[in-house]
Every structure is written in structure tokens, then in C-alpha cells.
Amino acid sequence: MPELVTRRVCLLGFGKVGRRLCELVARNDDELAARHGLRLRFVAIGTAGHGSLLAPAGVSAAEALELAADRESERRAFPEPARPGVDLLLASGADVLVEATPLDPQGGRLAIAHLEAALGHDADAITVNKGPIAWDYRRLAALAAAHRRRLLFEGAVMDGCPVFSLFRSCLPDCRLLGFEAVFNSTTNFILDAMGEGGGFAAALAQVQAAGYAEADPAHDIDGHDAAAKIAALANVLMDAGMTPDDVPKDSIRDVTAERVSAARRAGRRLRVLCTAQRNGAGGPVRGAVRLAELGPEHPLFSAGGSTLSVLLRTDLMGTVQIAEHGALPEQTAYGIYSDLIALHEGR
Ligand SMILES: NC(=O)c1ccc[n+]([C@@H]2O[C@H](COP(=O)([O-])OP(=O)(O)OC[C@H]3O[C@@H](n4cnc5c(N)ncnc54)[C@H](OP(=O)(O)O)[C@@H]3O)[C@@H](O)[C@H]2O)c1
């Protein structure tokens, strides 16, 4: 059995993903110790309105879940009042921050402040919130390097699917020339529901009732979530230095049921396609979120519902396709889990 190292985790965000992370760690505590010599202890957990946990001595994931368990079952709350994330992080003495608060489409400022506080105070940082990577990756990566800390974000773009680590670890010397992707399951579900004959509003209501869209799905419908994913992937793998504001976005609000049905009759599918490519050697990277009709010959034709997929176009290895079937908060929690192990093993 390897010697045990304890990592002190501050988790900001205890919603779908944060809670699944605690459940996953609770299930795998013994495995983490036996296989990796890693013991994870939660020293703080923060929410916006569901209380906070501050436990500088550290509690296990199972204990953290227990502490919140006697509150509401789906939206669990901690006994202490909620407090600002940076205060909680600094009071906890954490050596790793897990950022799992919602995306702020106006620049990701709050999550950026959380990451800055961690990296500036001797903590590594893991984020599944794509905002900081989409809006401010270069500066945060430089901050991490200056403080000899790590910044990891495997779950930020394709949940737990290893798009970043696969590219960096398994495709040595490859340059990413561009990518095409179907990155948003909410718009897949809406477009498919419209293909059944209803208009946009009816399809949206149907998808919301099934739990596949948020109460306010504007970020998905108007392309903001997709643009943030494009910027995050391009910033990390293409050194694009872009933000979601640089990405033109098609909205699916004005798509008619006739258009979706006509595509379907022709054996084609309407999809929100996310693209980026570099214009000329050393030129700028341009991204776009656009509605596209994909025929069966297109490698992304089968992406739909909660199946997401990306085509990575490289100089040395041609085109590599990665697909994820059934994107759920569990997969995103696994993205954090894999980052925690990568941190521990110095990968
Ligand atoms: N769900 C997925 O499958 C998925 C996939 C990929 C990436 N992500 C990303 O993962 C992040 C979390 O997603 P989620 O689905 O878990 O969201 P969620 O269910 O809405 O939970 C968000 C959590 O963040 C808390 N929060 C909000 N503002 C906060 C603040 N200022 N300080 C501390 N906590 C704060 C919320 O508090 P309350 O509990 O009080 O509301 C809640 O606990 C998002 O950035 C999302 O884009 C999610």
C-alpha cells in the first residue's frame, strides 16, 4: 500500500456536480488510498444560498454528505450560513480548490476571483466552470506557473471525457489546426423535439419538463455556452487568446419546425455546430457557433441528445474524433476526480 498523502479540498458549488463529486469520492475512498495513496479531506464547501461547511481539520466526503443529509434531500444545505467563496477558501487552509459554481456568461468574474485566490495562496485549482478558461486562460495559467501551482479543468468542456489530457498526453508534437464539435445537449434535444412536429416554444417546454434544459436555458439556446466551450478549448489547445465575445453565435430561437422537418425528410439533421480554425500559419484563431445541416456522411451526424462529440484536426495525426455518450453531472464529477488524481501524481 502506498504511503498516504492527504489533500485538503475546498469545494465551491454543491449543486449537481459538487454533490456527485462527494458521492463519487465517498464510494471510492478506499480505492483512492489503496491505489493512489491519496486521501481527500474536505475542509470547506460553499454554496450561494444553501449554507457552508468550514472544517479546517477536514471531513471525509461521506461525512460531508452526512452533514448536509438531514436538510432538503435534492438541494442539500449545510448548517452554517453561506459566505463568500474567497473568505471560505482562505479560512479553510485548503491546498486544492474545486470550482463548481455556475457559468457567469458576462466574463466569469466570480470564478476567476476564486481561482486567483487559490493560486495566489499556495493551492492548486481545478475548475469545471468553463468561464475562467474561456475568458482568462492565459493570465490564470501564467499565475499558476508563477506560483508553481497547477490549474486543471478536464471537466470544463466535455464533462469527464478526457479531451485535454488525451491531446496533451497521447498526441505528442501534434498541433491542433482546428476543431468541429457538437457540444450542447440542450440544443440537440430541442432540435430533435421540433423534428417531431412542434414549434420552438413547445419543444423547449417538452425538453424542460424532461429535465434536459434549465429553467433559464438562454445560455444554451443563444449559443453562449457553446461559445464558452469553443473559447476554452481553443485557448488551451491552440493558444488562441480569445473570449466568447469573439465568437459569432447563431441562436436556435428562430428555427422553424418546417426547417427541422425538411432536413429530417432529406435524411439530414440540424445541429448547433461549434467550430474553430487558425487562419494561416501563426494567424488568429476564428471560432463560430452556427446552425448546420449534417448529412449521414458527416462524422458528427450521430452526435445528438446527450451524445456529444468533437473532431480534432491535427497536423501530424490527421483527424481524431472523441465522443461522449450520456453526458450527466456524474461524468463531470469524474472529470474533477481524474484531475485530483492527476494533481496527486504530478501529471
Ligand atoms: N451539470 C453538468 O453536467 C455540467 C457539465 C459540465 C460542466 N458543468 C459546470 O459545472 C458547474 C456546476 O454545475 P452544476 O450543474 O453543479 O450547477 P448547479 O447544480 O446549479 O450548482 C451550482 C452550485 O454553485 C453554488 N453557487 C452559486 N454561486 C456561488 C457562489 N458565489 N459561491 C459559492 N457557491 C455558489 C450553488 O449554490 P446553491 O446551492 O445555493 O444554489 C450550487 O450549489 C457549472 O459551471 C457548469 O457549467 C456542469
Side-chain angles (χ1 to χ4, degrees):
M1 180 136 156
E3 197 181 321
L4 266 187
V5 172
T6 300
R7 297 295 311 241
R8 299 162 54 78
V9 180
C10 169
L11 169 62
L12 294 181
F14 193 67
K16 293 181 281 301
V17 173
R19 209 169 57 244
R20 295 303 183 282
L21 173 69
C22 286
E23 290 165 0
L24 175 59
V25 172
R27 265 200 318 278
N28 279 25
D29 244 352
D30 293 345
E31 188 89 352
L32 283 167
R35 279 203 174 180
H36 304 282
L38 174 60
R39 184 165 58 184
L40 295 171
R41 287 295 175 262
F42 290 79
V43 289
I45 299 181
T47 73
H50 289 80
S52 64
L53 172 75
L54 180 61
V59 298
S60 69
E63 287 166 332
L65 288 164
E66 195 64 29
L67 283 164
D70 53 351
R71 318 283 149 173
E72 303 161 65
S73 59
E74 187 43 32
R75 209 67 171 160
R76 290 178 181 184
F78 291 99
E80 297 300 317
R83 51 193 279 191
V86 171
D87 291 2
L88 202 54
L89 169 76
L90 298 184
S92 70
D95 56 35
V96 50
L97 165 72
V98 173
E99 178 18 88
T101 68
L103 173 68
D104 159 16
Q106 259 75 53
R109 284 178 294 266
L110 190 69
I112 289 171
H114 293 158
L115 297 189
E116 281 175 335
L119 297 171
H121 288 86
D122 289 335
D124 297 306
I126 293 171
T127 181
V128 284
N129 184 334
K130 58 193 101 45
I133 310 304
W135 292 93
D136 211 6
Y137 174 64
R138 270 189 194 159
R139 198 180 61 82
L140 290 169
L143 185 67
H147 289 269
R148 296 176 189 275
R149 306 312 316 185
R150 305 282 310 283
L151 169 63
L152 297 177
F153 36 77
E154 193 61 85
V157 170
M158 273 187 89
D159 312 304
C161 206
V163 59
F164 293 109
S165 50
L166 177 133
F167 194 86
R168 296 204 283 204
S169 309
C170 304
L171 296 171
D173 292 347
C174 277
R175 261 183 306 181
L176 185 61
L177 307 173
F179 58 84
E180 276 177 274
V182 172
F183 270 152
N184 190 283
S185 48
T186 302
T187 50
N188 287 344
F189 282 119
I190 293 173
L191 291 170
D192 286 345
M194 288 175 74
E196 307 298 327
F200 172 79
L204 173 58
Q206 185 184 330
V207 170
Q208 279 173 323
Y212 294 127
E214 301 294 330
D216 176 10
H219 298 340
D220 295 315
I221 290 167
D222 296 326
H224 298 291
D225 179 78
K229 288 183 171 177
I230 292 171
L233 199 59
N235 285 344
V236 177
L237 298 184
M238 302 173 79
D239 191 26
M242 61 163 53
T243 79
D245 284 345
D246 300 319
V247 179
K249 307 161 192 71
D250 282 350
S251 167
I252 63 164
R253 278 180 202 278
D254 301 326
V255 177
T256 60
E258 290 70 33
R259 183 171 173 198
V260 179
S261 303
R264 190 178 268 209
R265 281 197 302 279
R268 301 169 74 77
R269 290 180 183 157
L270 211 54
R271 288 286 172 252
V272 173
L273 198 63
C274 298
T275 62
Q277 66 270 321
R278 191 175 292 286
N279 287 6
V285 176
R286 304 262 186 245
V289 177
R290 60 186 178 82
L291 265 170
E293 267 186 36
L294 306 182
E297 73 291 350
H298 197 289
L300 294 173
F301 181 72
S302 60
S306 59
T307 295
L308 309 179
S309 186
V310 61
L311 297 171
L312 301 171
R313 304 202 187 280
T314 77
D315 56 349
L316 303 183
M317 190 25 224
T319 298
V320 176
Q321 180 162 12
I322 306 175
E324 175 190 20
H325 300 282
L328 291 169
E330 280 78 358
Q331 275 72 51
T332 309
Y334 177 77
I336 301 172
Y337 180 90
S338 68
D339 276 347
L340 285 162
I341 294 174
L343 262 188
H344 173 63
E345 296 181 343
R347 287 186 278 114

